[in-house]
Amino acid sequence: MTMLLRSPQLLWLLLLLPSVVLFWRWRGLRVGVSVLALRLGIVALLVLALADPVLGVEVAPDGPLIVLVDQSDSLGPDGRVTLRQEAERALQAVPGEARMLFFGAQVVAAGSITPVDPAATDLASALRAAHALLPNGGRIWLFSDGVQTRDDALSAAQQLAAAGITIDVLPFEAALLPDAAIVGVDLPRLLRPDEEFPLVVTMRYQPDAGGGDLAARLRLWVDGQLLSDQALMLTPGDTQFTVRQRAGLPGVIQVQAELITNPNASDTFAANNQAGATATVVRPPTILIVANQAELGARLAQLLEQEGLRTSQISPERMPSRISDMAAYDGMVLLDLPATVLSLDQMATVREFVRSEGRGLLVLGGHTSFTLGSYQDTPLADVLPVLMEPPPRPQRSDVALLLIMDRSASMLASFGVSKFDMAKEAAQLASETLQPEDRIGILAFDTETLWVVPFQLISGGLSVAQIQEQIANLPSGGGTRIERALEVGLPALAEQPTKVRHAVLLTDGRSFLNDTALYQRLVETARSQQITLSTIAIGLDSDTALLKQLAAWGGGRYYYADQPADIPRLTLLESKIAGSDPAVEQALRAELAQAHQLMRDIAPADLPELGGYVAVSRRPQTEVILESPAGDPLLATWQYGLGRAVAWLPGLDPAWMGQWQAWGGTSRFLAQLVRYTLPDPESGLLQVRLDPQPGGARLIVDAAQPGGIPINLATVNALITLPDGTTRTFDVRQSAPGRYTQELLLPTPGAYCVSVVVLYDGQRQEHVVGYVQPVAEEYQLDHAPTDGATLLQAITEVSGGQLSPVVVGEARTTPVGAGVFNLWPLLVGMALLLWVVEIALRRGFLPNFFLTPRR
């Protein structure tokens, strides 16, 4: 106990006691010392009584008292009554200003006609409400079980402590309430049409002491139709019920579950006997395949469609150059596609398809892709997760480059710069890109062949200047025999003692002979001797079909030069590619660089052997999932703007993926790569979501045009389907640029479906989402009994308060901070007693041993 003085300022009257003694001596009064001492004691006791001393803990003098009383359902009916009685008893013993507040889901003042909503315990709001009533500090008495269901009470208590407010806590120890509840309804968030899925309902039974099993019935509705009505027996703990269902058409599935128990059973709260869930059935994604080789594209489409993906295949020239024309596609695959067959606008569309629209991109390698496909310094290089640079090697491979030049009469021009002159310039530039240890050979042809420069080392034989002079002096000829040039040039190239052997054929005409079998035999023989062949078609008269086929057989690249000025650039590009040696062609196995969902359910050891890949460098920001034994990226991904891009460097090239043709997991592997890049089906230009709010939700609609431009002043309508199947319509008003919001009151827990339509400038956008209004927090059986006690202990510690428990059925004498004992009546009584003794001494009824007569 502590003694406090309510009026300590009156103690200054004790200073008058010495003046009383001086007055006595000055007047020479015949009063004994004992009588004088008694009179001084009487005065002192009366002064102390005026100071109003009390024994106990008093409300802080700098603020009133606020009593917070928990009235939530977690206390049970008896607990709520007990806490009210305890709080009222405590207030009766407290003089001065004090207020009582009741709280549950909201805070209500004592005496208010507004009832307390017991469906939640918002302890933090109660503390903040008390704080608002104690602007100058003071004390709070908190009567609660401490099981908060909203906000952060400890953070609120810290704010009160900083404001000089002490919180005394009376933790309530309630008996365990028997209850049964549905604690979960689970199904996949996203489904495809006709997909079978499990629907799992989890029930929890919490009996009282000695309670046994509980008989119940579980009813399930899907989209308003009764799916199951099952009798079951709940044992203490969790019980699960699973039923399999098949998804229907695209849209939202609403699932409602209800647990029915006997009214007299051990089931305290009926509010938690129902729950809901939703799933979105999305349309199958559509994938655009852009392939330079139609046969390879058809093979990829077949593999992806085996895994449930819809595909659309087009040739490079048909690929859209406007982003608006790509709206029908969720993802895109570029299959061994060189940058030279796409326009700048087409490549920019690919980049914005990923970066701005948030769609997916998978790029599959091959002999005409990545560094082999001239991606460097193009929009394709921007979007890819790898750098278009061959990785550094300890030693560069020697290169033998063969240029096969058409010198027929059609290469000449009647005026201006001719194609033949440009071809000569191209050959001269190519000779400058090679290293001293490389070899070069230049073969010209018309109906016959002419070695302009027989194969030689750059550092031996003719100098670079002499080679260029030889090229400049090359005369033109007559007709065109492409097969004859290949018959002479390719075998000569095969004899060169280098690791890399590459030939480039430049021609503007058609050969006199069109023996496809002969061409194929010549080129495939060269491929078996590790020779690659690229072709450059010059002008509209060239046999583009043949040249494309030759490049495909030769594992090289095909180019089309519309203008003579393009010839040197393309030839120089080919010579640089050959010199950098970006193709790795050898047997190898992919190694796992890091665990990633791209390899979900696929063991790297199960992947077949690879025959080669395009060598590129890593980007610092990307994730490399598979790599070669040399550490080169094989499978890499990254987030680019709003979308994802994945690069698979071996691609589908039969020379590199031969063993994958027979592997049963190829389709699953490729489909997994594609699916990883795809956007969330619920994303797009029209975004709809519902943010939980007390008693409901806030509907938020974000509408945008292609490119992300907000849609303003649109007409936005919504249709909501309630858990019982009834519907309501309402308008959604604009609240910010491109944003429309509406507060929704959702009193019934369960599954809701909201369909939003946006009308703007003659265009219509529609989006459907599901939302689950949960059971009130107070009835969710996921609060451990110790959670409340731990929180209340922490509140007292941060605020400097005290703990004093309240137990149902036990009477209390004085709660913490109440029941002070006033000492002034005792002091006045003692003063009266001393006055009687003083009178007795003066009258001689008692001997006075200290009487000192005046001399």
Side-chain angles (χ1 to χ4, degrees):
M1 286 290 185
T2 304
M3 190 181 74
L4 301 174
L5 298 176
R6 287 174 171 161
S7 302
Q9 67 274 14
L10 296 179
L11 292 179
W12 67 268
L13 295 174
L14 294 176
L15 298 176
L16 298 176
L17 295 181
S19 62
V20 172
V21 176
L22 293 175
F23 178 77
W24 168 58
R25 294 184 63 86
W26 175 63
R27 295 292 301 270
L29 299 177
R30 293 178 57 84
V31 179
V33 175
S34 58
V35 174
L36 179 61
L38 288 172
R39 291 180 177 179
L40 292 177
I42 292 170
V43 174
L45 289 172
L46 292 175
V47 171
L48 287 174
L50 290 174
D52 196 7
V54 295
L55 189 63
V57 180
E58 175 71 317
V59 178
D62 57 347
L65 169 68
I66 302 297
V67 179
L68 298 177
V69 185
D70 191 347
Q71 292 292 283
S72 62
D73 267 344
S74 63
L75 300 167
D78 294 340
R80 292 197 296 272
V81 172
T82 297
L83 286 193
R84 278 180 178 267
Q85 292 174 348
E86 287 290 333
E88 291 169 356
R89 185 181 301 116
L91 281 180
Q92 290 174 359
V94 177
E97 183 181 359
R99 295 190 63 180
M100 183 184 296
L101 302 178
F102 301 112
F103 68 92
Q106 88 278 42
V107 183
V108 176
S112 173
I113 61 173
T114 302
V116 177
D117 181 0
T121 304
D122 196 349
L123 185 51
S125 293
L127 291 175
R128 283 192 285 266
H131 187 190
L133 298 174
L134 298 173
N136 299 317
R139 186 174 293 273
I140 295 174
W141 296 346
L142 174 60
F143 294 75
S144 175
D145 61 358
V147 182
Q148 67 172 348
T149 58
R150 291 182 185 171
D151 215 332
D152 185 356
L154 185 58
S155 176
Q158 291 170 342
Q159 296 175 3
L160 268 66
I165 299 174
T166 303
I167 306 173
D168 290 327
V169 176
L170 293 93
F172 176 71
E173 301 172 7
L176 184 64
L177 300 174
D179 198 18
I182 297 177
V183 296
V185 180
D186 300 305
L187 69 163
R189 185 176 68 90
L190 299 176
L191 296 165
R192 305 291 178 188
D194 202 40
E195 179 181 352
E196 189 180 48
F197 63 93
L199 176 55
V200 182
V201 181
T202 303
M203 295 152 285
R204 184 169 298 162
Y205 177 43
Q206 179 180 280
D208 54 8
D213 296 347
L214 178 66
R217 296 191 69 85
L218 176 65
R219 290 181 177 176
L220 279 175
W221 287 267
V222 175
D223 293 334
Q225 301 296 318
L226 183 64
L227 174 66
S228 174
D229 187 349
Q230 182 71 34
L232 41 80
M233 189 68 67
L234 300 181
T235 58
D238 287 355
T239 300
Q240 284 192 337
F241 176 78
T242 302
V243 62
R244 300 196 70 82
Q245 181 71 352
R246 191 170 292 278
L249 298 175
V252 172
I253 297 176
Q254 289 177 268
V255 178
Q256 195 70 19
E258 181 184 13
L259 185 66
I260 303 173
T261 59
N262 190 310
N264 299 322
S266 299
D267 188 9
T268 303
F269 303 116
N272 54 17
N273 288 6
Q274 55 185 331
T278 65
T280 302
V281 181
V282 298
R283 61 175 178 81
T286 301
I287 310 302
L288 177 64
I289 299 175
V290 186
N292 206 25
Q293 301 180 48
E295 299 82 2
L296 209 55
R299 170 63 177 158
L300 175 61
Q302 180 185 20
L303 293 171
L304 296 181
E305 288 176 0
Q306 288 177 10
E307 300 297 323
L309 296 172
R310 292 192 304 186
T311 63
S312 176
Q313 181 182 348
I314 59 174
S315 58
E317 59 269 15
R318 292 179 53 214
M319 201 191 92
S321 58
R322 296 185 304 176
I323 193 65
S324 59
D325 295 333
M326 298 289 290
Y329 304 109
D330 302 285
M332 176 191 301
V333 180
L334 302 183
L335 176 54
D336 195 14
L337 197 67
T340 52
V341 300
L342 298 175
S343 68
L344 183 61
D345 287 341
Q346 288 175 316
M347 289 187 283
T349 296
V350 174
R351 181 183 61 194
E352 297 311 311
F353 182 73
V354 179
R355 181 171 66 179
S356 300
E357 299 301 312
R359 310 296 175 87
L361 173 67
L362 171 62
V363 179
L364 300 177
H367 287 87
T368 61
S369 62
F370 295 103
T371 45
L372 290 172
S374 311
Y375 285 11
Q376 192 167 18
D377 299 326
T378 70
L380 293 181
D382 298 337
V383 73
L384 286 173
V386 289
L387 294 174
M388 297 303 115
E389 300 170 0
R393 303 294 190 205
Q395 184 176 1
R396 175 182 174 275
S397 300
D398 297 339
V399 176
L401 176 65
L402 171 63
L403 298 179
I404 305 176
M405 297 173 49
D406 186 347
R407 68 185 187 109
S408 61
S410 61
M411 292 284 286
L412 300 176
S414 57
F415 61 90
V417 179
S418 69
K419 292 179 283 185
F420 190 44
D421 291 334
M422 290 294 99
K424 288 182 180 181
E425 181 183 345
Q428 292 171 334
L429 291 174
S431 67
E432 297 176 354
T433 64
L434 300 179
Q435 301 297 319
E437 63 274 14
D438 295 334
R439 293 175 175 269
I440 189 172
I442 302 175
L443 177 67
F445 73 94
D446 48 10
T447 56
E448 298 297 331
T449 60
L450 173 65
W451 282 103
V452 182
V453 177
F455 273 108
Q456 67 161 64
L457 283 168
I458 294 295
S459 59
L462 299 176
S463 65
V464 172
Q466 291 173 323
I467 291 174
Q468 293 178 347
E469 184 178 357
Q470 291 282 87
I471 296 171
N473 295 329
L474 174 66
S476 62
T480 304
R481 288 190 61 185
I482 298 175
E483 82 287 349
R484 179 60 183 162
L486 297 177
E487 286 176 334
V488 173
L490 294 180
L493 178 58
E495 296 173 357
Q496 303 308 308
T498 58
K499 182 179 178 182
V500 178
R501 304 183 184 96
H502 186 60
V504 181
L505 170 64
L506 301 91
T507 180
D508 74 335
R510 298 178 180 270
S511 181
F512 289 156
L513 178 66
N514 281 319
D515 189 342
T516 304
L518 174 61
Y519 283 122
Q520 184 173 2
R521 184 173 67 253
L522 288 171
V523 177
E524 289 183 349
T525 300
R527 282 295 292 136
S528 67
Q529 297 168 330
Q530 305 301 313
I531 292 174
T532 55
L533 171 66
S534 294
T535 59
I536 300 177
I538 305 172
L540 295 175
D541 294 334
S542 57
D543 192 344
T544 57
L546 173 63
L547 295 178
K548 283 182 181 179
Q549 188 61 67
L550 290 176
W553 286 331
R557 289 151 295 281
Y558 162 79
Y559 303 95
Y560 174 73
D562 187 35
Q563 301 296 328
D566 292 335
I567 301 172
R569 177 181 62 83
L570 296 177
T571 308
L572 181 62
L573 180 61
E574 272 298 299
S575 63
K576 287 182 177 179
I577 291 175
S580 62
D581 187 23
V584 176
E585 297 191 284
Q586 62 185 35
L588 63 113
R589 286 194 175 273
E591 299 177 355
L592 186 67
Q594 63 172 302
H596 197 276
Q597 59 179 309
L598 275 173
M599 296 297 294
R600 186 181 67 250
D601 301 327
I602 298 176
D606 295 339
L607 297 177
E609 187 178 75
L610 294 169
Y613 62 93
V614 185
V616 293
S617 298
R618 301 169 181 248
R619 279 189 191 269
Q621 312 94 324
T622 60
E623 299 173 285
V624 175
I625 297 91
L626 295 177
E627 62 185 8
S628 71
D632 298 339
L634 294 179
L635 178 61
T637 183
W638 74 337
Q639 183 80 26
Y640 183 68
L642 298 178
R644 286 174 176 169
V646 171
W648 171 236
L649 280 305
L652 276 184
D653 193 310
W656 293 348
M657 297 276 288
Q659 294 193 20
W660 289 60
Q661 306 297 322
W663 183 48
T666 302
S667 61
R668 181 162 58 94
F669 175 79
L670 293 173
Q672 201 151 289
L673 301 189
V674 171
R675 284 199 172 99
Y676 177 76
T677 69
L678 299 181
D680 189 318
E682 296 181 354
S683 65
L685 296 177
L686 181 59
Q687 293 286 303
V688 180
R689 73 175 192 271
L690 287 96
D691 290 346
Q693 301 288 329
R698 174 180 295 162
L699 174 64
I700 301 176
V701 180
D702 290 313
Q705 303 177 58
I709 303 172
I711 295 179
N712 297 316
L713 303 178
T715 300
V716 181
N717 306 114
L719 171 70
I720 184 169
T721 304
L722 308 183
D724 61 3
T726 59
T727 60
R728 303 284 189 276
T729 58
F730 55 91
D731 295 331
V732 186
R733 301 189 180 279
Q734 186 167 3
S735 59
R739 171 162 291 188
Y740 302 78
T741 58
Q742 179 65 48
E743 302 292 333
L744 302 179
L745 179 63
L746 307 176
T748 304
Y752 291 78
C753 175
V754 180
S755 175
V756 175
V757 175
V758 176
L759 302 175
Y760 176 76
D761 195 21
Q763 301 293 319
R764 175 189 173 96
Q765 297 185 41
E766 185 172 358
H767 194 71
V768 183
V769 296
Y771 178 76
V772 176
Q773 176 69 6
V775 173
E777 304 97 319
E778 198 72 12
Y779 311 117
Q780 297 175 7
L781 301 184
D782 54 3
H783 306 295
T786 57
D787 291 347
T790 303
L791 175 62
L792 296 177
Q793 178 68 41
I795 288 175
T796 59
E797 291 175 356
V798 300
S799 66
Q802 303 178 50
L803 274 174
S804 179
V806 177
V807 182
V808 175
E810 294 185 5
R812 292 181 50 85
T813 54
T814 304
V816 175
V820 295
F821 183 69
N822 293 306
L823 296 179
W824 69 265
L826 178 62
L827 295 175
V828 171
M830 292 174 62
L832 289 174
L833 179 60
L834 292 181
W835 182 42
V836 172
V837 173
E838 187 268 343
I839 293 175
L841 285 176
R842 281 193 294 109
R843 303 253 178 159
F845 296 113
L846 293 174
N848 189 344
F849 302 100
F850 302 98
L851 183 59
T852 305
R854 182 177 179 180
R855 295 179 182 274

